[in-house]
Amino acid sequence: LAAAFDLGGRRVEVAHVGRGHTGSDLVVVVPDADLVVVGDLVESAAPPSLGPDSFLHEWSVTVDSVIGLMTGATRALPGHGDPVDRPYVYEQRGRLAGIATELRRLAESGVAADDVAGQGSWAYPLETFAPGLAVAYTQLAQVAPRRTLPLA
């Protein structure tokens, strides 16, 4: 879902490239300024905040779409903090994916939702994403299971 506008001779593109920090994150691309406004999909003032309205298991894939909109020279303007470059966005995407993977590992190991916070190895300080951890754990039931080939 995307739209383009002419704002006084400047093209601005607005798109919903997926869910992450919330279900309605929007990305604004200003091509002639080589700028992507990413809101809270990316943060530079502090680690990204996972809340009860976040979609942890989709967030890194959504950030992949943001990365696809960037070149080596593009600056991303986060919801909080200073503009960042593409390598910074890659790094944050990796950490978000790591948190999702760790949560899945714990769930598949039989760790109860109430116990995952204390048992995980987390890519960011726990307090930055603890408010959304229970919801993310519940969302695991909605994520398609990994498929494997039969071994025999």
Side-chain angles (χ1 to χ4, degrees), residues 83-119:
V84 296
D85 59 10
R86 197 171 193 225
Y88 184 95
V89 177
Y90 265 113
E91 189 270 336
Q92 193 157 101
R93 180 251 179 251
R95 286 180 180 234
L96 288 165
I99 292 169
T101 299
E102 180 66 356
L103 187 60
R104 179 183 291 279
R105 181 190 71 79
L106 291 168
E108 289 177 355
S109 297
V111 176
D114 293 339
D115 299 329
V116 295
Q119 293 193 32

Side-chain angles (χ1 to χ4, degrees), residues 1 13 17 32 51 63 66-67 70 83 101 107-108 110 122 125-126 137 141 144 146 148:
L1 185 32
E13 302 164 356
V17 296
D32 69 336
V63 175
V66 170
I67 292 167
M70 299 176 75
T101 299
E108 289 177 355
W122 307 109
L126 183 61
Y137 191 91
R146 291 184 224 157
T148 58

Side-chain angles (χ1 to χ4, degrees), residues 57 104 135-145:
H57 306 287
R104 179 183 291 279
V135 170
Y137 191 91
T138 302
Q139 290 170 350
L140 278 170
Q142 301 167 12
V143 176

Side-chain angles (χ1 to χ4, degrees), residues 14-72:
V14 180
H16 180 264
V17 296
R19 301 186 303 186
H21 179 69
T22 68
S24 57
D25 295 302
L26 295 177
V27 175
V28 178
V29 180
V30 186
D32 69 336
D34 214 357
L35 179 70
V36 179
V37 181
V38 294
D40 289 341
L41 285 170
V42 176
E43 304 261 351
S44 68
S49 174
L50 179 68
D53 58 343
S54 296
F55 294 85
L56 175 63
H57 306 287
E58 297 175 40
W59 199 336
S60 62
V61 175
T62 299
V63 175
D64 282 340
S65 296
V66 170
I67 292 167
L69 297 170
M70 299 176 75
T71 68

